[in-house]
Amino acid sequence: MSIINASNDESFQLILDMIQESRAKASRAVNHELIDLYWKIGKYISDKCSVSGWGSSIVVNLSDFIHKAEPKSRGFSSQNLWRMKQFFESYRENKKLSLMVREINWTNNMLIVGHAKSDEEKEFYLQMTIREKYSKSELLRQLDSSLFERTMLSTENISPIAREIYHGIKNHIRDFYSFEFLSLGDNFSESSFQKAILKNLKQFILEFGKDFLFIEEEYRIQVGNTDYFIDLLFYHRGLNCLVAVDLKVGEFKPEFMGKMDFLSWGIGQICKKRA
């Protein structure tokens, strides 16, 4: 007969955490080596094209040679070899970015190279992919919805006080979000907007930011003898603060900001009481 108690559960969980951490490290190491290999091959082909006049036919022959010598090896088609060349040439002049590319997988690297135009845009998507651990579909969605442009526009409207208190806030808060996955159509109410968000909460947080943790809908704040409600309340791990979301449909009105300031003050009072 075996006995499992709470102490054993905690010990077993520690072992499981070790296993998972080790696997994650091994996966990162393998990816780092693979990207480094592709970088070296890309550099070699780029140099040969410049110095020895290599062209598409020679790269096709190189691909055939690799497949015959290493029949189990994948990823060395002539198209992918050309991508390695493009990959190297996209980052060879930027040492900072050339180090960052080794932190994400090959597929995501190719998506960024194919979509991003400037080094600034490439750096943005590299940082986001590393921090948010984007899958292929998540990264592609952000690229197609112009996350970089939306974020750059948003930074202008963040208040100086917020920038001073929360360093790096521009990397977490934007003015423009893309919620096409809610499938709301052209005309919808605030209530249907809120219900659609809760129904698609996982996708909403992927768009909103993975550091956001959902706390509650219709969060009640009591000020004096009056109850007020926040549509959606989140906690942001990176900024270490609560984030209140008040959903409105239509044109922005100045009184909306007044309401949010009041609700923020109310949350602050509650936090002080609980501290």
Side-chain angles (χ1 to χ4, degrees), residues 141-205:
R141 179 181 173 278
Q142 299 295 6
L143 288 164
D144 288 341
S145 64
S146 303
L147 176 62
F148 172 72
E149 288 83 356
R150 289 188 283 126
T151 302
M152 292 303 102
L153 288 171
S154 299
T155 58
E156 298 177 1
N157 295 318
I158 297 175
S159 71
I161 295 176
R163 290 180 189 230
E164 183 177 346
I165 296 174
Y166 302 108
H167 299 294
I169 191 173
K170 67 178 183 179
N171 297 320
H172 302 287
I173 304 294
R174 302 190 298 274
D175 283 341
F176 303 96
Y177 293 90
S178 178
F179 297 133
E180 80 289 344
F181 55 85
L182 297 179
S183 303
L184 287 168
D186 295 329
N187 298 307
F188 54 89
S189 65
E190 292 168 7
S191 176
S192 60
F193 187 20
Q194 184 168 330
K195 289 178 181 177
I197 289 173
L198 295 172
K199 185 178 179 180
N200 299 274
L201 191 57
K202 179 179 178 181
Q203 288 178 286
F204 178 81
I205 289 179

Side-chain angles (χ1 to χ4, degrees), residues 75 89 129 131 142 150 271 273:
E89 292 175 349
T129 303
R131 189 178 76 223
Q142 299 295 6
R150 289 188 283 126
C271 291
K273 290 179 181 179

Side-chain angles (χ1 to χ4, degrees), residues 59-70:
V59 173
V60 169
N61 292 338
L62 171 60
S63 175
D64 292 339
F65 177 83
I66 293 172
H67 284 301
K68 289 177 182 178
E70 295 280 347

